Amino acid sequence: MSAILSADDLNDFISPGVACIKPVETLPLQKPDENNNPYEVTTEDKVPAQDHAPAQISLTDCLACSGCVTSAEAVLVSLQSHSEVLNALDAYPPLDSRVDAEKRPHHGASDGKIFVASVSPQVRASIAATYGISQRRAGWMIDQLLAGSSGLASGGLHRNRFSWIVDTNAMREACLVLGADEVSRSPPLFGDNEVLPSSSCKKPVLSSACPGWICYAEKTHPHVLPHLSRLKSPQALTGTLLKTVLCQRFNIRPDQIWHLAIMPCFDKKLEASREELTDLHWRPSPPAQEPPGPPTRDVDCVITARELLMLADSRGISFPSLPQEPLPASSTPPFPDTSLDAFLFPHRQLHPRMKRRRRNQDPSAGPSGGYLHHILQSQLARHPNSTLQTTRGRNADVVEYAIVTSTPFPHSNPTTTTTTSSSEEQEATNTNGAAQTPNLSSNTVLFRAARYYGSRNIANLVRKLKPPKPRRLLPAARNPSSSSSPAAPGATGGMPGYAYVEVMACPGGCTNGGGQIKASDVGGSVGEGVGQKEWLARVDEAYYSMSDSDSSSSDPTELGQQHQEEGEKEKEKGVMKDGKDEGDDDAIIINGIDVGEVRRVLAHWSESTGIGLEELCFTTFREVKSEVGKTDDNKQQERVVEQLAGKIGGGW
């Protein structure tokens, strides 16, 4: 168990509703004492004390149990810590990733593993703020720890190192493109050309990248599950890509690839433990004569930024002393798929098209991946004459957005205007950043979305999504004067017709995750006298400050510099055409992302592995029904009462 998971650090903002009951359910059975006389009366002080083994709670137990509504910060877990990383590195010999698949025999269960890692930009920003360096140098230090000769490979039983260290921003781009497709094709705007999960989500589509929010919804508010985006998170999508491609290219099993994810919050540990995110949902069915093997997680272990520093300390490595320079080419072999190598590691490519790709985020995109920002930019690209209007809610973590056009409303349909509260601060901006006075009464609302961060705001959102209770009064008994006005088209319950809502459990977004380095953890002049709010501003600054040149491990060429300047112009415009027809989606660059390139990479991934995009990129969610305090006897009594009520004509 990680040492930083203590009762003093339970700050995941979604607190437990009921005390954890798992230790009570898993107490060892007491064997009767043969020497004990059941008729003997004794005092309590003469009863010998029994030494029971401590109850263990794994992440799988937490997901299967519904005794609480908390996420990983508020439960004691026994796996997925920095100690588990060291145990895995010492338990398995390295599997040489340079050996051709044709020359590799079928390995047994005790053979070595290929170690791979993925790092989120929020973690790099936290490291950068801690040591007063750029996010670029923070990423180099992490690479040196995981794969350098002065890092983890300098010790241990097998001197293992991580063969590939992937920036999750790569698969985040895929998530953004697929997320925009999912929103635009969700009912009632279904399309026939895009690959979507068989059970598409309802509008408003709610983001599902935050596992703390997902755990809360599954256990307490099942009515919102049809609205959850079925798209995997960048962490899960990266794990699926690494294991599917490496398994095929190296002729090895999924359990021979050990994937470490370094994330900003503990909730990602729960996400990695989900049964839906295992190879059971994408691997080919085994032959009839072979029994299916146990499921293998796409992400084997998740640690946070603070645990990353503990990982270095456990090996006696001074993290601040690690070289702030990129790894030599000999330490990072090429990815076995050339097309995916160019996508995952664009700094290795000299093609000008790759130089134009951005891996940093605009401040307007927020610190949580920019899902909502990309969807808004996609809608603006589809409607060239439209503008974006922003309305701030009751606090900074609630913001509403409306994309409007200059086309006047039809007089017969005035209900599609945006409704705002007089107590809310209103601010409208167009795509060029110039301030405008909201005048929604003369504009047609094309798209409406919102952002809800933090547990209090999430509770308000869930309440608005709750379906209204059916009226029990007869129509004739209703008071006509008390009838409510008709709701806006597309509205659900108390929702003002949103098409998409970005939901995150942490106030301030993912840079404020529970596993990030806090101001109190930093000593010296960097963290002395710095409050948490000011510290979070430093982390956000590091998160947004990474430039295009920072994402490259070598100096940009003159041609690359030219395309970097072009990328800055594209950033200001929000969208760019690549010299092709306006109707060609493959030529559109939205939010610095080449949509056509991402689609080609996803298609190549599916074709090369023989697995459909629905199995690779989408997942499902389930309602977790609480069994706390319920027994089979109680269920039997409820069935008897239901039968008796039915016989006497009563309702239930």
Side-chain angles (χ1 to χ4, degrees):
M1 187 186 72
S2 175
I4 57 179
L5 287 178
S6 62
D8 298 332
D9 293 328
L10 303 184
N11 57 351
D12 72 340
F13 310 108
I14 298 181
S15 58
V18 183
C20 182
I21 64 167
K22 199 62 185 177
V24 180
E25 295 180 347
T26 57
L27 286 177
L29 296 177
Q30 297 183 6
K31 296 182 180 180
D33 188 0
E34 298 178 355
N35 299 325
N36 184 22
N37 185 356
Y39 300 102
E40 180 181 357
V41 179
T42 183
T43 58
E44 185 176 355
D45 57 342
K46 295 183 180 181
V47 177
Q50 297 181 359
D51 186 15
H52 293 298
Q56 296 291 328
I57 308 173
S58 67
L59 292 174
T60 304
D61 293 333
C62 181
L63 284 177
C65 169
S66 56
C68 64
V69 295
T70 183
S71 52
E73 288 99 315
V75 295
L76 302 179
V77 295
S78 58
L79 293 177
Q80 299 203 42
S81 65
H82 67 285
S83 300
E84 183 68 15
V85 179
L86 297 177
N87 293 337
L89 292 173
D90 292 339
Y92 303 99
L95 194 63
D96 191 0
S97 58
R98 294 175 174 85
V99 178
D100 295 334
E102 292 78 8
K103 300 179 182 179
R104 188 187 305 279
H106 184 72
H107 290 271
S110 60
D111 287 325
K113 293 180 183 290
I114 296 178
F115 293 91
V116 294
S118 57
V119 184
S120 73
Q122 291 87 356
V123 170
R124 292 195 301 269
S126 183
I127 296 292
T130 300
Y131 297 105
I133 58 178
S134 65
Q135 187 183 156
R136 178 190 189 186
R137 294 184 176 274
W140 286 345
M141 295 174 68
I142 297 174
D143 293 347
Q144 292 285 352
L145 174 65
L146 300 180
S149 58
S150 58
L152 299 176
S154 61
L157 181 60
H158 302 289
R159 296 187 179 274
N160 278 317
R161 70 179 69 203
F162 289 81
S163 299
W164 292 283
I165 304 171
V166 180
D167 183 0
T168 57
N169 270 329
M171 296 313 293
R172 179 188 61 84
E173 294 181 359
C175 290
L176 296 182
V177 173
L178 292 173
D181 292 341
E182 184 182 35
V183 172
S184 62
R185 302 308 195 269
S186 295
L189 302 175
F190 260 112
D192 299 327
N193 298 327
E194 303 300 336
V195 179
L196 290 174
S198 55
S199 178
S200 183
C201 48
K202 296 180 180 179
K203 286 188 177 179
V205 179
L206 308 179
S207 64
S208 59
C210 176
W213 146 244
I214 295 301
C215 183
Y216 174 73
E218 286 184 327
K219 292 185 176 183
T220 62
H221 300 288
H223 64 274
V224 306
L225 298 184
H227 297 275
L228 293 178
S229 170
R230 300 300 189 262
L231 186 63
K232 290 182 180 179
S233 69
Q235 169 187 298
L237 204 58
T238 302
T240 304
L241 181 139
L242 291 174
K243 293 213 170 184
T244 53
V245 175
L246 295 179
C247 284
Q248 184 191 58
R249 294 306 174 96
F250 293 141
N251 190 26
I252 56 178
R253 302 184 312 274
D255 62 341
Q256 291 180 281
I257 302 168
W258 203 84
H259 177 205
L260 169 69
I262 307 177
M263 294 289 141
C265 71
F266 297 108
D267 299 337
K268 288 295 183 180
K269 299 173 185 283
L270 286 176
E271 176 186 309
S273 300
R274 293 183 66 91
E275 182 183 354
E276 294 85 355
L277 300 179
T278 62
D279 64 335
L280 287 178
H281 297 269
W282 54 259
R283 69 183 179 188
S285 301
Q289 62 273 17
E290 294 184 10
T296 301
R297 293 195 296 240
D298 294 340
V299 180
D300 295 277
C301 183
V302 178
I303 63 174
T304 63
R306 281 192 283 172
E307 289 175 304
L308 181 69
L309 302 183
M310 298 174 66
L311 177 65
D313 292 339
S314 299
R315 275 285 169 89
I317 300 172
S318 174
F319 192 89
S321 301
L322 290 172
Q324 298 181 15
E325 58 185 22
L327 292 169
S330 58
S331 300
T332 54
F335 200 69
D337 189 294
T338 306
S339 299
L340 293 177
D341 181 81
F343 182 72
L344 296 175
F345 308 99
H347 57 272
R348 298 178 181 174
Q349 308 299 322
L350 297 179
H351 194 280
R353 189 179 187 88
M354 289 299 176
K355 288 292 182 181
R356 189 170 55 219
R357 294 175 59 201
R358 289 191 298 107
R359 286 292 166 85
N360 63 311
Q361 279 286 291
D362 293 330
S364 58
S368 303
Y371 290 87
L372 176 59
H373 178 74
H374 183 79
I375 290 173
L376 292 173
Q377 293 297 323
S378 299
Q379 293 295 325
L380 289 171
R382 295 186 179 189
H383 307 283
N385 296 325
S386 60
T387 59
L388 177 62
Q389 296 185 345
T390 305
T391 304
R392 179 177 172 178
R394 296 182 178 179
N395 52 66
D397 286 328
V398 176
V399 184
E400 297 180 354
Y401 302 87
I403 296 178
V404 299
T405 184
S406 58
T407 304
F409 275 126
H411 294 289
S412 60
N413 186 22
T415 58
T416 56
T417 57
T418 300
T419 57
T420 57
S421 173
S422 58
S423 61
E424 297 175 348
E425 179 183 353
Q426 301 180 2
E427 178 187 2
T429 59
N430 57 21
T431 55
N432 295 325
Q436 289 183 336
T437 302
N439 187 17
L440 301 182
S441 60
S442 61
N443 294 332
T444 302
V445 178
L446 303 174
F447 189 84
R448 192 177 278 122
R451 182 184 73 187
Y452 280 73
Y453 289 178
S455 61
R456 292 184 180 180
N457 298 324
I458 289 177
N460 294 332
L461 173 67
V462 170
R463 185 171 61 252
K464 293 178 181 179
L465 281 172
K466 192 171 185 180
K469 295 181 179 180
R471 296 179 179 270
R472 301 196 175 201
L473 296 177
L474 296 176
R478 295 176 184 171
N479 186 0
S481 61
S482 63
S483 60
S484 59
S485 58
T492 302
M495 299 294 291
Y498 295 143
Y500 183 81
V501 182
E502 184 178 276
V503 184
M504 299 291 166
C506 294
C510 293
T511 52
N512 191 30
Q516 296 282 76
I517 302 173
K518 307 300 181 184
S520 57
D521 302 328
V522 182
S525 59
V526 177
E528 185 178 358
V530 179
Q532 183 59 29
K533 187 175 181 179
E534 182 182 352
W535 178 256
L536 181 59
R538 293 187 184 182
V539 178
D540 288 342
E541 181 181 1
Y543 176 75
Y544 296 127
S545 63
M546 185 174 182
S547 63
D548 289 343
S549 59
D550 287 344
S551 63
S552 175
S553 60
S554 59
D555 293 334
T557 62
E558 181 178 358
L559 182 60
Q561 183 67 30
Q562 177 183 355
H563 283 277
Q564 179 182 346
E565 295 173 358
E566 293 177 3
E568 292 297 327
K569 296 179 181 179
E570 298 161 15
K571 175 180 175 181
E572 296 177 359
K573 296 179 180 179
V575 61
M576 188 195 76
K577 303 294 173 62
D578 198 15
K580 300 183 181 180
D581 296 335
E582 290 187 358
D584 188 358
D585 284 344
D586 289 348
I588 297 180
I589 294 179
I590 300 176
N591 189 29
I593 299 174
D594 190 332
V595 176
E597 178 194 346
V598 173
R599 294 187 192 279
R600 286 189 293 270
V601 169
L602 292 174
H604 170 76
W605 176 24
S606 177
E607 293 173 1
S608 62
T609 57
I611 307 173
L613 284 180
E614 182 173 338
E615 289 77 17
L616 292 173
C617 301
F618 296 93
T619 184
T620 57
F621 304 99
R622 65 190 186 278
E623 177 184 359
V624 180
K625 295 184 178 180
S626 176
E627 299 295 334
V628 178
K630 295 182 180 180
T631 62
D632 293 338
D633 295 339
N634 292 338
K635 295 180 180 179
Q636 181 65 25
Q637 293 176 2
E638 290 179 2
R639 286 193 291 268
V640 172
V641 174
E642 291 177 4
Q643 294 175 0
L644 293 175
K647 290 182 180 180
I648 62 176
W652 184 253

